[in-house]
């Protein structure tokens, strides 16, 4: 599975759009890009998943360029409750052997 | 929320003792996983299961064994606990029509003295 690289931490203010970029230079043809969110003392929670181009759901958008060597998670108009750790993963079609990196710690300030 | 529970939620034990953690699901999902999470680190996969009696190793499997005798239960055993196994353990499940999405349990905090 491809290793992913993302910033260790980011700060933002309430109401701003936050973009977290993930690098995955060695992503395999069959790998999907999946993002999870984790609050303290809780297990991670699935946010969004994509293969290429753009995917949008009720909480986020995921942009994956044609070369698929990177991806960007976009959180529109963040609130204090979006303060969490965000993980970018390359997952195979079976979803097995997922590799979580250290994640990006997002801190949203008032 | 997915029906997934872990027991116990907290455990303190001594070095050298055996420990078994249980993950129970009510979703009838095929795949189950055990992760550990240490301070400042992401989750690391210990073992996973792709069906009853079908299991495989993850990236940090040394010192751990697993068993899955029925769909709903996935057991993680530390045969002889060491202080380096002090961690928070998360179970996850996936399957159905959203098999690429993992649902995580609440976690078990294990302390080995």
């Amino acid at each position: 599975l491809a290793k992913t690289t993302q910033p260790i931490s980011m700060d933002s203010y309430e109401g701003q759009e936050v973009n977290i970029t993930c690098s995955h230079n060695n992503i395999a043809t069959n790998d999907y890009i999946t993002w999870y969110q984790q609050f303290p003392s809780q297990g991670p929670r699935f946010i969004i998943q994509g293969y290429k181009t753009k995917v949008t759901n009720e909480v986020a958008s995921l942009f994956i360029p044609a070369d698929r060597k990177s991806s960007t998670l976009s959180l529109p108009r963040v609130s204090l409750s979006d303060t969490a750790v965000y993980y970018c993963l390359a997952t195979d079609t079976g979803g097995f052997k997922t590799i979580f990196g250290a994640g990006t710690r997002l801190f949203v300030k008032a | 929320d997915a029906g997934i529970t872990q027991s116990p939620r907290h455990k303190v034990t001594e070095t050298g003792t055996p420990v078994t953690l249980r993950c129970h699901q009510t979703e009838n999902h095929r795949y189950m996983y055990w992760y550990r999470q240490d301070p400042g680190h992401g989750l690391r996969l210990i073992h996973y299961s792709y069906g009853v009696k079908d299991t495989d190793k993850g990236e940090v499997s040394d010192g751990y064994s697993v068993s899955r005798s029925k769909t709903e239960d996935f057991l993680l055993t530390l045969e002889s606990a060491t202080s380096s196994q002090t961690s928070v353990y998360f179970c996850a499940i996936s399957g159905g029509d959203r098999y690429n999405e993992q649902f995580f349990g609440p976690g078990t905090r294990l302390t080995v003295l």
Side-chain angles (χ1 to χ4, degrees):
Chain A
L1 288 176
K3 181 180 178 180
T4 60
T5 303
Q6 46 185 131
I8 295 175
S9 65
M10 296 180 67
D11 288 344
S12 182
Y13 289 93
E14 282 189 293
Q16 289 187 333
E17 178 185 69
V18 171
N19 295 309
I20 306 175
T21 299
C22 178
S23 173
H24 29 81
N25 290 320
N26 298 316
I27 190 169
T29 302
N30 294 333
D31 287 349
Y32 284 75
I33 298 301
T34 310
W35 286 81
Y36 285 82
Q37 174 192 57
Q38 185 179 27
F39 299 112
S41 301
Q42 295 184 23
R45 185 181 69 169
F46 175 92
I47 301 175
I48 196 167
Q49 182 179 80
Y51 185 79
K52 60 180 178 180
T53 63
K54 178 182 177 180
V55 178
T56 298
N57 62 21
E58 63 275 10
V59 298
S61 294
L62 177 61
F63 303 90
I64 305 173
D67 66 7
R68 301 199 336 119
K69 294 183 181 300
S70 66
S71 59
T72 300
L73 174 72
S74 180
L75 305 172
R77 298 179 298 282
V78 294
S79 64
L80 297 176
S81 63
D82 292 317
T83 293
V85 179
Y86 292 83
Y87 297 97
C88 166
L89 292 76
T91 55
D92 63 19
T93 52
F96 308 144
K97 293 196 172 184
T98 49
I99 299 178
F100 284 78
T104 297
R105 188 172 300 275
L106 173 66
F107 185 68
V108 180
K109 296 178 278 188
Chain B
D1 288 345
I4 176 170
T5 57
Q6 295 183 228
S7 60
R9 294 292 314 279
H10 302 271
K11 186 172 181 66
V12 180
T13 190
E14 294 187 350
T15 298
T17 59
V19 176
T20 295
L21 308 183
R22 180 183 184 232
C23 178
H24 179 78
Q25 61 145 329
T26 58
E27 304 296 325
N28 200 35
H29 280 350
R30 177 180 177 185
Y31 308 108
M32 300 186 75
Y33 314 78
W34 275 107
Y35 294 88
R36 62 176 289 175
Q37 185 171 37
D38 302 300
H41 291 79
L43 284 80
R44 292 182 289 174
L45 183 65
I46 304 171
H47 282 280
Y48 65 96
S49 170
Y50 46 95
V52 174
K53 299 191 187 304
D54 292 323
T55 64
D56 204 350
K57 297 178 179 179
E59 60 178 309
V60 290
S61 59
D62 287 348
Y64 302 95
S65 63
V66 291
S67 66
R68 192 170 178 199
S69 60
K70 45 187 178 178
T71 299
E72 57 266 36
D73 289 327
F74 192 32
L75 303 181
L76 176 70
T77 298
L78 291 67
E79 299 292 345
S80 178
T82 67
S83 59
S84 65
Q85 293 176 312
T86 292
S87 188
V88 178
Y89 291 85
F90 288 101
C91 175
I93 62 175
S94 67
D97 56 359
R98 297 168 67 178
Y99 59 90
N100 268 334
E101 178 179 341
Q102 294 187 21
F103 299 93
F104 284 79
T108 294
R109 183 173 296 276
L110 175 67
T111 301
V112 183
L113 302 176

